[in-house]
Amino acid sequence: MMANNLNVEYLKDKIINLDSMLSEVRVFAPATVANMICGFDILGFAVEAPGDEVVMRRTTQPGVTIRKITGDDGRLPLDPGKNTVSACVQYLLQALNISSKVGVEIELHKHMPIGSGLGSSAASTVAGLFAINTMLGNPLTKEELLPFCVEGERLACGTGHADNVAPALYGGITLIRGNEPLDVISIPSPKELVAAVVFPQVDVPTRDARQLIKDKVLLKDAVTQWGNIAGLVAALFKEDYDLIARSMKDVLIEPTRAILIPQFYEMKEIALKHGALSFGISGSGPSVVTITRDEKIAEDIADKIQTHLKENEIDSFGYVSRVNVEGPRILDQKFFKA
Ligand code: HSE
């Protein structure tokens, strides 16, 4: 069954040579910080770590199967129809009209928490789709692959927002100018930008965090927010760190979602007091992101935030990373002649 939201007409003339299909690939795809604080559903960037890995092997029997999943504490479905990664790989094989001829088995290795605000489902889906495209000899461009990644987000959390999958797939910073049709713009990443992400170990599913948001906003808040978004995009082009600091502020979503995140305002105070350009929620939370222009400052703030959380009996993970401009990468690939 083909997913309703995919229009695959643009793939009808693709020719796939299955004789040269790879036997195995291992792919890494990065975590992402969606929203970039002020750009709800439209801005995001990829980080260097963490990220998920997919190992995909060709099988003699047609069909897509999940061989194993690690790092998920048993939370993700092994049923290939229900698992987002295998479902999207199957959609792609169907769209290319080769699902009756091709079989693959998938190993998914999760290296980041689920429901963390780090684009966990996006990293897995992008890794899976990048892996199958690599095995088939890259018949699809990244632009052509993106709608399948968005479909993965729809399966994972109910809405097809592209602000995690686009940076995970393209690398760097991306702007979702429009969703129908998808219009994604890559934005330059200022060289000195460093993000410190801290994940307080509480579960906030994206689906729940989205339901909380009001669907009406005050015009004066909207004006503030679009001023900030425009200011941030200009700042990224100009590499203007003061303008980044003035612009990365969220008056629309943060006040509502902050209540789901323990110690949010205390963490914000620590970050801003110790040299952060900005601080806010990563994606739908509970991860929080501190933006700096210095790795040492980022590490120091992450440490201080984690210590504060520990004092409040909340375990956490911390990651410090520059913007990952590469996106997914192939870690290994093999070809055995059948
Ligand atoms: N833009 C999405 C949200 C990202 O904030 O709900 C989810 O990671």
Side-chain angles (χ1 to χ4, degrees):
M1 183 191 75
M2 199 69 223
N4 293 334
N5 295 291
L6 284 165
N7 175 356
V8 294
E9 193 55 23
Y10 64 93
L11 296 180
K12 72 178 187 335
D13 296 327
K14 298 277 181 193
I15 296 166
I16 316 291
N17 178 3
L18 291 178
D19 293 338
S20 56
M21 182 174 168
L22 291 176
S23 314
E24 181 178 323
V25 291
R26 176 185 284 263
V27 165
F28 164 90
T32 42
V33 174
N35 301 335
M36 292 187 73
I37 299 176
C38 56
F40 177 69
D41 275 0
I42 63 167
L43 285 169
F45 65 88
V47 293
E48 286 159 351
D52 286 347
E53 275 179 39
V54 159
V55 181
M56 192 173 283
R57 289 185 199 91
R58 189 166 184 182
T59 54
T60 45
Q61 290 297 313
V64 181
T65 52
I66 304 272
R67 186 180 160 81
K68 70 170 166 185
I69 303 177
T70 63
D72 69 326
D73 292 329
R75 289 173 64 184
L76 297 177
L78 289 159
D79 176 343
K82 294 195 177 129
N83 182 286
T84 310
V85 180
S86 43
C88 288
V89 169
Q90 182 69 359
Y91 293 155
L92 183 63
L93 296 176
Q94 287 170 346
L96 291 169
N97 273 319
I98 54 173
S99 61
S100 60
K101 299 182 203 128
V102 173
V104 288
E105 62 173 29
I106 295 170
E107 279 180 26
L108 172 61
H109 301 287
K110 301 262 345 142
H111 296 299
M112 72 177 100
I114 298 167
S116 57
L118 285 164
S120 173
S121 58
S124 299
T125 306
V126 166
L129 285 164
F130 194 82
I132 187 67
N133 198 42
T134 303
M135 287 186 84
L136 295 171
N138 293 307
L140 274 70
T141 62
K142 284 188 174 179
E143 288 70 21
E144 291 170 333
L145 213 47
L146 186 62
F148 290 88
C149 302
V150 172
E151 201 50 35
E153 288 296 72
R154 201 183 312 280
L155 292 175
C157 63
T159 55
H161 54 275
D163 54 339
N164 288 111
V165 282
L169 182 64
Y170 293 1
I173 300 175
T174 56
L175 165 70
I176 314 302
R177 209 280 314 147
N179 283 291
E180 286 172 21
L182 264 176
D183 187 358
V184 179
I185 297 151
S186 287
I187 307 276
S189 310
K191 286 183 282 302
E192 293 170 28
L193 215 64
V194 185
V197 177
V198 174
F199 166 57
Q201 284 189 43
V202 292
D203 204 6
V204 177
T206 298
R207 205 181 278 264
D208 299 354
R210 292 183 77 83
Q211 275 166 5
L212 205 71
I213 298 169
K214 298 180 222 120
D215 56 6
K216 291 196 172 58
V217 297
L218 292 176
L219 184 61
K220 78 170 176 47
D221 291 340
V223 172
T224 303
Q225 196 87 352
W226 61 58
N228 282 338
I229 295 167
L232 176 57
V233 172
L236 296 169
F237 274 93
K238 286 156 60 99
E239 288 211 34
D240 181 335
Y241 295 91
D242 292 334
L243 184 53
I244 289 176
R246 296 204 300 284
S247 306
M248 270 187 143
K249 291 179 183 157
D250 174 15
V251 297
L252 291 185
I253 311 295
E254 182 178 297
T256 310
R257 280 186 171 168
I259 55 171
L260 297 174
I261 303 172
Q263 301 292 318
F264 179 81
Y265 290 104
E266 291 81 355
M267 293 191 279
K268 186 171 191 169
E269 196 182 326
I270 292 170
L272 296 179
K273 196 168 133 196
H274 291 92
L277 297 175
S278 177
F279 174 92
I281 302 171
S282 173
S284 54
S287 288
V288 290
V289 60
T290 302
I291 303 293
T292 74
R293 59 182 301 186
D294 182 298
E295 207 160 321
K296 283 211 165 53
I297 294 179
E299 278 164 5
D300 176 54
I301 291 173
D303 271 2
K304 287 189 162 67
I305 288 177
Q306 287 195 268
T307 304
H308 175 80
L309 289 173
K310 205 173 173 116
E311 283 163 6
N312 286 276
E313 293 171 10
I314 301 162
D315 288 333
S316 64
F317 292 118
Y319 311 93
V320 171
S321 170
R322 290 186 189 276
V323 177
N324 165 356
V325 293
E326 182 188 11
R329 64 175 186 275
I330 300 162
L331 302 176
D332 195 17
Q333 61 182 59
K334 292 179 183 144
F335 177 72
F336 310 115
K337 209 157 173 49

